[in-house]
Amino acid sequence: MKIKQIKVFICSPGRNFVTVKVITDSGLYGLGDATVNGREMAVVTYLEEHLVPCLIGRSAHDIEDIWQYLYKGVYWRKGAINMAAIAAIDMALWDIKGKVAGLPVYQLLGGRSRRGVTLYAHANGETIETTLDMAEEHIKQGFKAIRLQSAVPGLNVTYGVLGDKKDYYELQGNRPLPPEEDWSTHKYFNMVEDLFRQARERFGNDVQLLHDVHSRLTPIESARLGKLLEKYNLLFLEDASMAENQDNYKVIRQHTTIPLAIGETYNTIWDCKDLIQNQLIDYIRVAATHAGGITALRRITDFASVYNVKTAPHGAPDLSPICFAAHMHLNTWAPNFGIQEFVGLGNEQIRQVFQQDIQIKDGMAHLSDAPGLGIEFDESAAKEYPYRRSYLPVSRLEDGTVWNW
Ligand code: EZ4
Ligand code: CO
């Protein structure tokens, strides 16, 4: 079964997605997600100009060989654009293999390890009270784990919070240039403990709580935050600090037992190797789209299991439903799965373009037994939503210094 054609699509059903369709001479095809938020066209060009010509005529069954060929063969290893392109091809090939076998991909990985996939929902608001009102809605719907993000008083916009202007990065409006947002660590510390204290007062101890720092703190500041929040019993603290230097997490670990999670921007196992093998983190959050597909995530997952690190795949809206499907198969299989981030199954336009049968019940997600990844992509619906250039925000300290967004 040979690869006959590879199509690359970019569409914007509310936000931009890059989708790859690998078509074989048997007529079977597979789908993959190659979206890199804010840099979409770089991946489209990279695929069309550099990867696709090398793949026509190869056996669609050689998933591992194709992965190695694209990874080792490029010489310029790693990188967000390169790894997203490899990831999309890889997902599509797993999709094809599942369709040939007549089995969902999780069966090819080793079968089911659990009844369903536990999700955590997002609650965010302009005040602590409205954040907790949203959390209460999720709890009523059956969610057992909630990420809390609340606006920092005195800052123009806060990461993860839908501001007055509704200009939240998740929506991707008309953004000819990156918007800019303020950051103040001092003001953040004045808010964040109250958020979790009030959450525990209101909801008690059963619900699992999470928080995303979005890399705004230095390691010693993260350590201080970890100590402050230990008594509120978080499932994990996400992206407490940047970890290009993986030793940063040693500083945090020396001071606090708060569980730590990181990895949504990572592209390969090498970005998290030290963090995992030194047991400096508790959850690895790599995404199939950004870290090299199902083949790469399976490898990272097995490596992490040796060191008691669980998986908690990134689940933001800029990962397409194809990536979510890939995560669902990995999560259903992985013996060391932890939790899946979840922001809903997309708006009406997204569900028109990407069709899949995933059931959400009592805070868990369940796959159908459709073969492959179990997702369809409607090419003509996608054409109705043309690409629009859009950027993630840039962060600055109050004196104008560029900071981590
Ligand atoms: O900011 O996916 O946990 N989720 C996140 C995300 C990221 C976006 C960046 O494209 O941190 O919201
Ligand atoms: Co995050």
Side-chain angles (χ1 to χ4, degrees):
M1 205 177 56
K2 298 220 179 315
I3 296 172
K4 193 172 125 194
Q5 190 189 6
I6 300 178
K7 292 184 177 178
V8 183
F9 303 90
I10 178 151
C11 63
S12 190
R15 58 176 314 113
N16 294 321
F17 295 116
V18 179
T19 302
V20 169
K21 184 171 186 175
V22 176
I23 303 162
T24 67
D25 56 6
S26 74
L28 282 180
Y29 61 85
L31 297 167
D33 174 31
T35 310
V36 176
N37 196 4
R39 294 293 185 271
E40 296 86 354
M41 293 308 290
V43 197
V44 171
T45 308
Y46 186 78
L47 276 158
E48 286 180 340
E49 184 61 25
H50 302 294
L51 259 57
V52 170
C54 304
L55 297 174
I56 306 303
R58 286 176 192 276
S59 167
H61 275 311
D62 295 349
I63 300 178
E64 188 68 51
D65 184 70
I66 289 175
W67 195 96
Q68 299 294 342
Y69 179 86
L70 295 177
Y71 183 79
K72 294 177 179 161
V74 72
Y75 186 60
W76 317 104
R77 297 182 185 203
K78 310 193 282 182
I81 306 302
N82 177 41
M83 296 309 290
I86 295 176
I89 302 289
D90 183 78
M91 285 181 216
L93 296 179
W94 279 98
D95 193 17
I96 291 168
K97 202 180 277 298
K99 287 174 180 170
V100 172
L103 292 169
V105 167
Y106 76 83
Q107 292 290 11
L108 307 182
L109 293 169
R112 183 181 284 282
S113 291
R114 54 191 51 77
R115 280 185 291 112
V117 169
T118 302
L119 307 168
Y120 69 90
H122 283 197
N124 52 70
E126 285 299 310
T127 62
I128 290 177
E129 199 186 348
T130 54
T131 304
L132 298 185
D133 289 346
M134 190 186 275
E136 192 169 314
E137 285 305 308
H138 291 312
I139 293 167
K140 280 188 191 146
Q141 286 165 26
F143 285 96
K144 310 284 191 288
I146 323 274
R147 184 187 95 160
L148 302 179
Q149 308 294 136
S150 203
V152 175
L155 298 186
N156 61 352
V157 199
T158 305
Y159 162 78
V161 177
L162 190 66
D164 286 348
K165 298 180 217 99
K166 307 278 179 243
D167 190 21
Y168 184 34
Y169 75 99
E170 310 288 20
L171 296 177
Q172 271 197 344
N174 176 24
R175 286 181 163 177
L177 288 172
E180 298 200 356
E181 297 179 356
D182 296 341
W183 178 252
S184 159
T185 296
H186 181 71
K187 288 177 177 164
Y188 170 70
F189 266 98
N190 288 338
M191 178 281 293
V192 68
E193 188 183 357
D194 285 345
L195 173 62
F196 285 89
R197 187 174 37 74
Q198 290 186 35
R200 283 295 174 217
E201 280 167 9
R202 186 158 156 184
F203 303 128
N205 290 320
D206 275 357
V207 65
Q208 300 269 25
L209 300 177
L210 305 91
H211 181 61
D212 191 347
V213 182
H214 228 257
S215 309
R216 302 297 165 86
L217 303 180
T218 65
I220 199 67
E221 289 164 351
S222 301
R224 183 178 149 223
L225 178 65
K227 286 173 78 168
L228 265 184
L229 297 184
E230 265 174 28
K231 54 182 172 293
Y232 306 108
N233 193 19
L234 269 64
L235 181 69
F236 62 62
L237 190 64
E238 173 179 335
D239 288 342
S241 294
M242 295 301 298
E244 282 118 318
N245 175 359
Q246 298 186 32
D247 283 347
N248 281 352
Y249 271 62
K250 279 190 196 155
V251 176
I252 308 174
R253 262 305 203 230
Q254 275 162 7
H255 296 282
T256 174
T257 57
I258 197 165
L260 299 169
I262 194 170
E264 64 186 48
T265 63
Y266 289 176
N267 307 134
T268 70
I269 196 167
W270 304 108
D271 295 332
C272 48
K273 176 193 143 276
D274 293 357
L275 293 174
I276 291 172
Q277 81 182 6
N278 295 323
Q279 304 194 36
L280 298 177
I281 57 169
D282 302 281
Y283 293 85
I284 181 68
R285 291 185 27 81
V286 281
T289 302
H290 299 132
I294 293 171
T295 297
L297 255 65
R298 180 181 59 168
R299 200 148 284 146
I300 293 172
T301 300
D302 278 337
F303 178 67
S305 77
V306 176
Y307 300 98
N308 307 303
V309 174
K310 293 184 181 180
T311 61
H314 190 203
D318 53 296
L319 298 158
S320 96
I322 301 173
C323 178
F324 188 71
H327 288 167
M328 280 298 297
H329 289 274
L330 286 155
N331 297 341
T332 300
W333 152 73
N336 52 328
F337 167 68
I339 197 160
Q340 172 66 55
E341 183 178 25
F342 183 65
V343 291
L345 292 172
N347 63 20
E348 207 176 304
Q349 298 130 293
I350 291 174
R351 282 181 281 119
Q352 182 195 352
V353 175
F354 301 93
Q355 293 134 18
Q356 63 184 333
D357 182 18
I358 288 179
Q359 299 301 322
I360 311 295
K361 197 168 176 280
D362 295 330
M364 290 179 112
H366 304 271
L367 282 167
S368 75
D369 266 337
L373 292 175
I375 188 155
E376 284 301 329
F377 176 72
D378 185 331
E379 292 181 36
S380 56
K383 282 204 191 88
E384 290 173 36
Y385 306 111
Y387 164 72
R388 295 191 302 174
R389 185 167 68 234
S390 188
Y391 292 97
L392 281 163
V394 170
S395 193
R396 288 187 191 273
L397 304 182
E398 288 171 297
D399 71 355
T401 309
V402 172
W403 195 238
N404 313 323
W405 181 73

